Amino acid sequence: MSDTLNYRQVIARAIADEMREDPDVFMIGEDIGAAGGAFKTAAGLFEEFGPRRVRDTPISEQAIVGAALGAAIMGLRPVAEIMFADFAGVCYDQIVNQVAKHRYMTGGQVTVPLTIRMANGAGTGFAAQHSQAGENWFLNVPGLKIVVPATVEDLYGLLRGSIRDNDPVLFFEHKGLFSVKGTVPTGDAAVLPLGVASVVREGSDITIVATQQMRHRSVEAAEALAAVGIAAEVIDPRTLIPFDDAAVARSLAKTSRLLVVQESPQDGSWGASLVSRMTTQHFTLLDAPPSLLSSPDSPVPYAGVLEDAWLPSVDAIVARAKELVAF
Amino acid sequence: MSDTLNYRQVIARAIADEMREDPDVFMIGEDIGAAGGAFKTAAGLFEEFGPRRVRDTPISEQAIVGAALGAAIMGLRPVAEIMFADFAGVCYDQIVNQVAKHRYMTGGQVTVPLTIRMANGAGTGFAAQHSQAGENWFLNVPGLKIVVPATVEDLYGLLRGSIRDNDPVLFFEHKGLFSVKGTVPTGDAAVLPLGVASVVREGSDITIVATQQMRHRSVEAAEALAAVGIAAEVIDPRTLIPFDDAAVARSLAKTSRLLVVQESPQDGSWGASLVSRMTTQHFTLLDAPPSLLSSPDSPVPYAGVLEDAWLPSVDAIVARAKELVAF
Amino acid sequence: MTYHPVNPTLADPLPADALELLRSMYEIRFFEDEIMGLFSQNLVRGSTHLCQGQEAVTVGVCSALSPGDTMTCTYRGHGAVLAMGAPLDRAFGEILGRAGGLCGGKGGSMHLADVSVGALGSNAIVGGHLPTTVGAALAASYRGTSEVSVAFFGDGSTNIGAFHESLNLASIWKLPAIFVIENNQYGEYSTLASTTPIERLSDRAASYGMPGVFVDGNDVIAMRSATKTAVERARAGEGPTLIEADTYRHSGHSRSDPAKYRPEEEVKSWFARDPIVQLRNAIEASGGADAAAEVERTAHTDVDAARDLALTWPEPELSAGMEHIYS
Amino acid sequence: MTYHPVNPTLADPLPADALELLRSMYEIRFFEDEIMGLFSQNLVRGSTHLCQGQEAVTVGVCSALSPGDTMTCTYRGHGAVLAMGAPLDRAFGEILGRAGGLCGGKGGSMHLADVSVGALGSNAIVGGHLPTTVGAALAASYRGTSEVSVAFFGDGSTNIGAFHESLNLASIWKLPAIFVIENNQYGEYSTLASTTPIERLSDRAASYGMPGVFVDGNDVIAMRSATKTAVERARAGEGPTLIEADTYRHSGHSRSDPAKYRPEEEVKSWFARDPIVQLRNAIEASGGADAAAEVERTAHTDVDAARDLALTWPEPELSAGMEHIYS
Ligand SMILES: Cc1ncc(C[n+]2csc(CCOP(=O)(O)OP(=O)(O)O)c2C)c(N)n1
Ligand SMILES: Cc1ncc(C[n+]2csc(CCOP(=O)(O)OP(=O)(O)O)c2C)c(N)n1
Ligand SMILES: [Mg+2]
Ligand SMILES: [Mg+2]
């Protein structure tokens, strides 16, 4: 049995399925109750589970994340919502200094089964403080897991997998993908483990690694490349920590060309980190320089022409891939 | 005329020299007044400049950084102190969403001549919440400059250069280097521009890039390597944003081997970013895989044996360099 | 501190510039009508947050300020920025993402700024700008000049950490800051009572040893009068004031919110107290009917003309995306 | 809310377990004497923050708790963790960085935790643990069980954002949390008056609609009594309480602070009110002189034995550094 839903809708579906199975799972966040969330990603949950399990908070992200941490330590499985990933800035200490380290600092006395969901990314005209690729703020902080689903199936399976995970998971839902549709199988089989990449499209000429919005653009680019005889393999890592390096290395063994596409500046990004890992650990697999197609080093601008230019386009991916294959 | 001072002492010297020259420069932070700062890095400033220009604050880093931002917009040149870099977590929003973006979001209506100083790094037994390499939290945020001095001369010159800079500068003072000594030339000639690497030691067999504590260990390693006939060039970029890529590329043209040494995990680090930039832009310069010698993916542990093992050692640098040269 | 009756009010003889206040409120009202229109034509990106119904707050407060005084506000900031004197056409231009916009199209609806009139920036992070206003006030205090700085923010924003830190710092340093709560009774969709365990937000002033004033926010004269008292106090070096303006937003939180969650009776009673209608009635009662009608008419014409002009402006050049990141 | 006299106090007949309280305070006092000794032998790393002089606060509060109740505290947390019942030897072991330490040597002095007795964690970020206590209280409320959670923190910590957010959230949800300010009159080196514009910190409770109680923090019976009232309230579902304990730290902020900034008279008067001496006097006055002397003696012996035992424990295996990051 399966349903067709969009990316936005499947969020509530995944949470509801976990909440039905496990009474320790609850939600905490701003306007997630009767309002169903700023993006309606919690629609229906309040009606089904009530105010005890779907908890509307004041505007106080430090308290939200920290309360979720305290509850997780005590054995519950909170699903906290930070409305936009950018707002992780106001609770950054709680995430990196408290949530990420509590287990370690106590020498393993506790586990922290906590999921923090955030709306991510650019492309929707929300400007510099509501459009960032939040995943890159947390890469250097051991203790966190980071999930970046691009499809309905992955979102469903990974969100359930994250809630079941006994470690803190930062779960990024891309605002630009809310209307992407997909088919949701019901049942536990759909639950996905963290740390397994998805080979979205096979190919032998070049390996393109991309997440979320850029994964979709990369698939489009791969189609265009196919038309000119270039077989691109598109890999979506789906989780950044842990990262399925082996999947990329396997692909490079075939293609020997690496193109990473991301919607953020280069420095401190997951893409740069991947390029670094692949070149330090799999240098001899590469027959051409690795390539990292990124956004320019600027905040996200508001105007449509500027924001469009800020995001790597399908054309830019195609062009970069051609260059690389021609190297 | 010059003085011998240590790294800890030269901080106050640099600030005092700027404060004497420019009445718009002032300090804001916790316990920096009569107490002279938690590390005594502000010793003497309160006595010379008084409470108007050396401003003790409540424990409220968001207000400290934000007030510095507001004052900078109004044309002053605040030098804010965040006691430990780790505490940047509690004011991360102010740094990344406000300070870094204010100029951009207003379309250039203001400049933000603001310096934020923080004590950085591991090795002194302060454990997980007081030992992080804070620079890696900010790499993905355009609008900030990042300075990581390793010596007395660099600290002096770059701190003055940062205060004079019209953009926001995050200035990291490494706790492990407080007792390092050096000679401070007085006068404007000592002021250093941001974005120029220092070639600490020349060599033709391998390029070692390292900052702060790891720069000193790398120099020690280079000496050991010299004894076995390996000529290592040691480069200290001194600023991470802007980064003097050209200096590294110049060196690679000689050595064709890159070893980056850093005291943090790999993902999201400046070292991984450098490896990525060098391999994507200067691939053909490399005759061996680039190498990134980092700390393991864990928080900083307290126990001495564990923290020592967490930090890349001189021996580890030597061993890695030998491997690389033998490739 | 509870209810502080503030005089004069609309019940008293009108001030000489009553028509100016009316004009300013009409401009904001019509400006936002047009923004809604442009939104539905897909000419505005992201989201937009109207302040219709709250015009008396910003117009009343800003009419008590002098040249050189500054102001920060939220994403719901069209009114505040216009009340400071930003030109209508460039405000339209910004929201339309045009090169001639206040911020060159890089800010958009949530980031209007016109530093030339003291509008230092609109912030999209709840509470994020309060520290900036503290800093602007600090600059005046530091220089010994007399400018005050006002921060506007919502009722929901009084629960976030930056509010607490900002008021505390401003008070301990007796800075010339004025904190104005636009209490429109709701956060995004949450009632005040559901997020805040006290009724009178101005009572929170007691925690910071500053006066807290509760004012009818739909009475422009009362708002101005309360602000004048706060301004005098600020300029006299006696420190900040917290003003709670009791008001209501006419529409939903943002363009995507039909605001169905509000009881019909409540909406009705607030619409009956429309701040513009109230001032206009008072003006008409004192014989100014014709003049008021003329003000309404010209405000309408001016807004339309400004909109039309802005619509002729080009989009930004692509190169603008990389300008104003650094100085 | 101002001074709330709390009964019974030391002036009244002593409770049956007075000797237990005395013993607990002596253990903390002697424990920290030993820590200082170990520090000067270079056996303790980083810094350490003694709570000597403040023992009545933690012992009084924790003696009012029941099994299952939880507690979070600061880097000045030796007393709180021991008062909850953590074993002396493993506390020594942790600060010595030994494998047998409470946290396996990974936490150190600033991060003592013994979750088995409800000591959820000591935090080195000012204010960082208040949200955790909110979460632990939330867990009880969620499950409908009766545990309360206490957070200890300093006077200076009442100015940071996390304090505000935590008290607000705990109050709006009527959570069984107790917030205990250990007002020892100073931040690091700053007096309360220099950072905080009000005199009675417990007055801040009014901002959150919760009771604020001001208690003689050197009177262990008064502390227990005030806590009992708060515990009853919490277990009855009536919500949190803010308790301000008036106390004094006998030494400087940390081992590097000789605390020269304190007026001699002030130090003298507080030492005259040493909480241990006061309780002992009361016990002696009621005929318990011998028993008290015996308690002192055995506390001393036990502390010494625990220290000696911990000193025999090995340092952690290097592999431990990579354990407990994830589950
Ligand atoms: C730190 C942060 N958290 C959450 C949001 C999302 N958000 C935007 S507006 C808003 C409600 C704000 O309510 P209030 O302060 O009353 O202002 P109003 O919108 O009513 O003017 C929220 C939660 C945000 N922008 N920033
Ligand atoms: C967010 C943050 N800012 C600053 C510090 C540095 N710091 C450690 S203790 C301290 C003073 C705290 O004073 P108080 O809250 O009164 O506690 P006390 O040390 O007196 O027990 C400061 C500023 C910190 N640890 N965390
Ligand atoms: Mg509101
Ligand atoms: Mg204190």
Side-chain angles (χ1 to χ4, degrees), chain A residues 97 101 105, chain B residues 39 83-87 119-133 175 300 307, chain D residues 47 49 75 110-111 123-126 188 253:
Chain A
N97 287 331
K101 297 178 173 51
M105 293 192 305
Chain B
F39 302 105
M83 214 180 268
F84 286 72
D86 314 68
F87 310 162
N120 205 37
T124 47
F126 278 100
Q129 292 180 332
H130 278 64
S131 304
Q132 294 166 87
K175 297 192 291 293
V300 181
E307 191 179 23
Chain D
S47 193
H49 309 77
Y75 48 86
M110 298 203 283
H111 301 297
N123 211 294
I125 304 288
V126 161
E188 292 204 353
H253 164 67

Side-chain angles (χ1 to χ4, degrees), chain A residues 192-241:
Chain A
L192 293 172
L194 274 50
V196 183
S198 149
V199 179
V200 182
R201 180 188 171 107
E202 304 211 353
S204 51
D205 294 330
I206 182 170
T207 302
I208 304 180
V209 183
T211 63
Q212 300 210 311
Q213 191 163 222
M214 291 303 128
R215 168 220 161 119
H216 293 280
R217 293 194 184 182
S218 295
V219 169
E220 255 190 80
E223 281 157 18
L225 288 163
V228 296
I230 297 174
E233 179 143 310
V234 179
I235 296 183
D236 178 352
R238 303 194 291 192
T239 66
L240 300 178
I241 299 180

Side-chain angles (χ1 to χ4, degrees), chain B residues 59, chain D residues 54 75-76 153-157 182-188 190 249 253:
Chain B
I59 308 174
Chain D
Q54 307 179 194
Y75 48 86
R76 197 179 305 288
F153 50 96
D155 44 291
S157 314
E182 301 186 83
N183 182 354
N184 61 11
Q185 321 300 326
Y186 291 87
E188 292 204 353
S190 304
R249 55 167 153 76
H253 164 67

Side-chain angles (χ1 to χ4, degrees), chain D residues 10 14 24 26 47 52 102 109 127 132 171 186 194 196 208 214 240-241 244 270 275 277 283 308 313 321:
Chain D
L10 284 174
L14 285 169
S24 187
Y26 268 127
S47 193
Q52 291 183 329
L102 288 171
S109 168
T132 312
S171 180
Y186 291 87
S194 71
T196 310
Y208 316 105
F214 180 65
T241 299
E244 176 183 1
W270 277 100
V277 173
I283 292 172
D308 291 343
W313 293 341

Side-chain angles (χ1 to χ4, degrees), chain B residues 205-209 233 235 248 251-252 255 257-260:
Chain B
D205 294 331
I206 182 171
T207 302
I208 305 181
V209 184
E233 178 143 311
I235 296 182
V248 180
S251 179
L252 289 179
T255 67
R257 276 162 170 78
L258 174 64
L259 169 58
V260 184

Side-chain angles (χ1 to χ4, degrees), chain C residues 1-13:
Chain C
M1 244 148 286
T2 42
Y3 195 100
H4 284 227
V6 172
N7 286 296
T9 76
L10 283 174
D12 301 312

